[in-house]
Amino acid sequence: MNIIPKRVTLFSGHYGSGKTNIAVNYALHLAEKGLPVTIADLDIVNPYFRTKDSAEDLKTAGVRLISSAYANSNVDVPALPAELYALTEDKSRYAVLDVGGDDRGALALGRYAPAILEEGNYESIFVANFYRPLTPTAEAALEVMREIELAAKIPFTAIVHNSNLGEETKGEDVLMMEKEAERLSEITGLPLLFTAADARLSGVLPEAFHLRLQKKIT
């Protein structure tokens, strides 16, 4: 993955975009490079908590995880742990933030936005899955992007293409939406950092395309 690490990296997207898998993989990527990293789940809508599902993988890699005490429980309250403020205060660690889906989930980021913007060492990445009902085109995805930006109070700086159909995804499914991702990059003026795909597809996608792939945890 050819991303120059910023101290704070935010991953946002429509529900089901796969942003959590991307965030987890990126945190593990930083850890593999020997960097001290903390990943935080900012989703305050309980049914959508997913980062904690990878808690053991993160712990094994030495990645610190911050998530609500109510994650993966049947309690639905808009609560975020106080440790989240350490992400903006402790400049010695890299921070990866899994932001809640859509503008509703992104509202939680608003309280940390001033400190993130003031530091100025961040990347805000929109994860696009063009197989989701509300983001089938670049134009529809752009609308979601603008809603998230308004709620989070932080502008996007880059795009990651993660079109997939879950375990049913085939190589051609990924390739089919690549042009849509490129169109989103063109109309926003933001760089398309990479295309994500499950590692099992590496053998069926064109060799030249492998440079654009990011392995995912399933």
Side-chain angles (χ1 to χ4, degrees), residues 37-38 47 119 140 184 197:
V37 56
T38 298
E119 182 181 356
L184 181 59

Side-chain angles (χ1 to χ4, degrees), residues 42-44 80 84 99-100 103-113 151-152:
L42 288 187
D43 201 334
I44 61 175
L80 289 172
L84 281 172
V99 182
D103 55 336
R104 181 185 176 192
L107 283 171
L109 180 60
R111 71 186 73 174
Y112 310 103

Side-chain angles (χ1 to χ4, degrees), residues 12 31 34 74-75 91 102 104 149 179 190 197:
S12 308
N74 58 4
V75 179
K91 305 296 192 297
D102 292 355
R104 181 185 176 192
E149 286 180 325
K179 287 186 177 180
L190 300 179

Side-chain angles (χ1 to χ4, degrees), residues 21 24 45 53 97 99-100 133 136 138 177:
N21 265 331
V24 168
V45 186
D53 293 343
L97 278 64
V99 182
M177 292 302 181

Side-chain angles (χ1 to χ4, degrees), residues 6-24:
K6 299 290 187 178
R7 198 193 70 77
V8 178
T9 304
L10 316 168
F11 290 94
S12 308
H14 185 263
Y15 293 122
S17 64
K19 64 182 177 55
T20 296
N21 265 331
I22 302 297
V24 168

Side-chain angles (χ1 to χ4, degrees), residues 66-69 79-89 111-112:
I66 297 177
S67 65
S68 169
L80 289 172
E83 299 100 297
L84 281 172
Y85 285 102
L87 295 179
T88 57
E89 297 171 356
R111 71 186 73 174
Y112 310 103

